[in-house]
Amino acid sequence: MCILTRGLIRVKRYAHICKFSTQGCRRQNTTGDNPLELNNTIIGAEEDGRWPRRIVSGLQPTGALHVGNYFAAVRRCVQLQEQGQDVMMFIADLHALTTKQVSPAAMQDNTLQLTAYLLASGLDPARTVLFAQSAVPRHAELCWVLTCLATQARLAHLPQYRERTAGGGDLGAGLLLYPVLQAADVLLYRATHVPVGADQLQHLQLAALLARTFRHRYGPAFPTPRALLPADGSDRVRSLRDPAKKMSKSDPDPKSRIVLGDSDDAVRAKIRKAVTDFTPQVTFDPATRPGVSNLVLLQCLAEDKTPEEVTDEAGGLTTAQYKRVVAEALVSVLGPMRARAEELQSRPRLLRDVLRHGAARARRRADAVYADVAALTGLAPVELVEADKKLKVA
C-alpha cells in the first residue's frame, strides 16, 4: 500500500478521533437564505457565472494563534465548511520566510502545531482542503508570472510595505513581493471569495487587479476574487494592553493577547489585567471606551451575542466583575479546543498525513489552473504528477 493511500485512510479515520466544534454558530438562519451572505459584507466585481464558488484562506505558522485569529479567520472557515462550501485552508510557510527566521525544526513544529489547532477548531480534512503552501510548487511559479504583471510603484504603495520601510534599513525583496505571492495563493485555485479583514482589502484588490491584467494581456484564466468581510467585528479584536492597536502575534508583550494554547488560569489572568478605564459601568462605545468595548466584543464572539445583549446582561456589574464574565466565556470556548489540540499534537504522524493528503488534492487543482496559465502565456506545457493522478481526490 503506497504512503499516500495509507495517509488517506488515516485522514478518513480522523472523524472518529476528534469531534468537530462549530461553537459560535448557534444562531441558525431559518429564512432559507445563505447565512454567510447575511452575516458578511461582500466586496468585489460582479460574478460572470463561469467560476464555481470557492473560498481560499491561509495562516502563517509564526507564533501561536490568538483569539483574534481564531474568530476572524479559523471559525469563519469552519462556518463556511459547515454550510457545504468549497473551502481551502493553507499554512503559509513560504510567507513565514519574510519574518524573523527560526530553525527548520521550529518551522516544522510550528506547522504541525497550527495544523492541530485548525483541526481542533473544527476544520474537517475530508471536507476542507488543508495543506502546507510550500508543498505546492505552483504557488511560487504563478507568483513569478504575476510579478511580471505587477509594478514596483504599486507594490511599494501598499501599507504593509510602507510600515516596514518607515524605520529605514535594508529590507529583503520578499517583503515587497509578499502581496504578489498572496495574489498567487488566491488565483492559483480560482478562488471566488476570500475571508479578510478591512486591513487586508488593499492586498486582495491587488489580486483582483492582477487577475484583470492577466485577462487583458493573455486571456481569461482567473475569476476576480471578492472579499468576505465579517459583520461581527471579529477582525477588530484589540490588544489587551493597548486597545488602540489590534491584537497581534508579533506584539512583544505576551499579556496583550490570548493565545489558543493558554491555560484557563492564564486566560483569566490576562483578562483581569486588561486595560480599561475609570468608568465602572459596562458599555459598548469603541470610540470613547475601546478597552471595555474590546471585552464586550470578545464575549459577543465567544457566546454569539450582540453588544446590546451583553451590556444588558452586565447591568449592575462593575468592570472588574465583568472581566470575570468575559474570562469564563473565553475559557468555555478555548478549553475544549486546547484539549483536542494537545491530543492531536501527540500524534504528529496523523498531522503529517492530513497535510500530505491535502497537498495532493491542492496540487491537482493547482496543476489544472497552471496548465491554462502556461498555455495562455506560451510557457512549457504542464504534465500532471503521476502519483497524484492515481490518487482519486477532488
Side-chain angles (χ1 to χ4, degrees), residues 48-339:
D48 59 11
R50 171 178 179 179
W51 313 102
R53 183 182 177 101
R54 176 172 292 165
I55 292 91
V56 174
S57 186
L59 288 168
Q60 283 195 40
T62 51
L65 292 180
H66 57 68
V67 290
N69 301 138
Y70 169 69
F71 289 124
V74 180
R75 192 175 72 175
R76 293 177 68 199
C77 285
V78 173
Q79 292 169 346
L80 291 160
Q81 168 192 277
E82 295 304 313
Q83 294 169 18
Q85 308 243 4
D86 183 353
V87 179
M88 302 184 73
M89 170 68 78
F90 65 90
I91 296 174
D93 48 358
L94 291 176
H95 286 292
L97 295 177
T98 64
T99 63
K100 184 178 179 181
Q101 295 298 294
V102 296
S103 69
M107 176 74 89
Q108 286 294 310
D109 289 344
N110 290 345
T111 297
L112 292 182
Q113 181 190 65
L114 178 53
T115 303
Y117 272 97
L118 291 174
L119 296 177
S121 299
L123 282 183
D124 180 353
R127 293 182 288 168
T128 292
V129 181
L130 175 60
F131 63 101
Q133 180 189 32
S134 62
V136 186
R138 301 298 185 193
H139 284 259
E141 294 178 76
L142 182 57
C143 179
W144 175 250
V145 174
L146 298 178
T147 297
C148 295
L149 301 178
T151 65
Q152 188 272 342
R154 177 63 186 259
L155 298 179
H157 183 69
L158 292 171
Q160 185 181 44
Y161 185 76
R162 286 187 296 168
E163 290 170 7
R164 294 286 291 274
T165 56
D170 189 16
L171 298 176
L175 184 64
L176 181 67
L177 298 178
Y178 187 103
V180 185
L181 181 56
Q182 283 185 316
D185 298 333
V186 170
L187 300 181
L188 184 59
Y189 302 104
R190 290 180 171 142
T192 58
H193 297 81
V194 182
V196 295
D199 58 343
Q200 286 290 315
L201 268 180
Q202 288 194 42
H203 285 193
L204 188 60
Q205 288 165 356
L206 175 68
L209 173 64
L210 291 174
R212 291 193 296 269
T213 302
F214 187 97
R215 184 182 307 128
H216 293 154
R217 183 171 300 184
Y218 299 111
F222 316 107
T224 301
R226 307 170 75 185
L228 287 174
L229 293 172
D232 59 4
S234 57
D235 61 334
R236 297 190 295 274
V237 174
R238 316 308 293 177
S239 163
L240 298 178
R241 303 303 296 166
D242 182 1
K245 302 188 302 184
K246 281 188 66 175
M247 188 175 288
S248 172
K249 291 192 290 185
S250 61
D251 193 311
D253 186 356
K255 295 178 182 178
S256 67
R257 58 190 174 275
I258 294 174
V259 300
L260 303 191
D262 277 341
S263 68
D264 293 350
D265 287 343
V267 172
R268 295 182 181 106
K270 289 181 178 181
I271 292 294
R272 185 169 62 250
K273 296 177 181 178
V275 171
T276 52
D277 53 40
F278 297 104
T279 303
Q281 292 81 15
V282 178
T283 60
F284 185 75
D285 187 351
T288 61
R289 303 192 70 195
V292 173
S293 298
N294 191 43
L295 296 180
V296 171
L297 174 60
L298 287 173
Q299 186 188 355
C300 289
L301 294 171
E303 297 185 342
D304 192 22
K305 294 178 178 178
T306 65
E308 291 77 13
E309 290 172 329
V310 166
T311 52
D312 286 347
E313 293 172 0
L317 296 180
T318 65
T319 302
Q321 293 170 328
Y322 177 64
K323 285 181 175 181
R324 291 195 287 271
V325 175
V326 177
E328 295 310 312
L330 291 172
V331 164
S332 68
V333 173
L334 302 183
M337 186 193 312
R338 183 179 66 249

Side-chain angles (χ1 to χ4, degrees), residues 50-51 138 142 145 187-188 190 214 218-223 364-384:
R50 171 178 179 179
W51 313 102
R138 301 298 185 193
L142 182 57
V145 174
L187 300 181
L188 184 59
R190 290 180 171 142
F214 187 97
Y218 299 111
F222 316 107
R364 285 175 62 85
R365 293 182 174 188
D367 283 346
V369 175
Y370 194 79
D372 291 344
V373 171
L376 288 168
T377 56
L379 297 176
V382 171
E383 293 183 3
L384 297 180

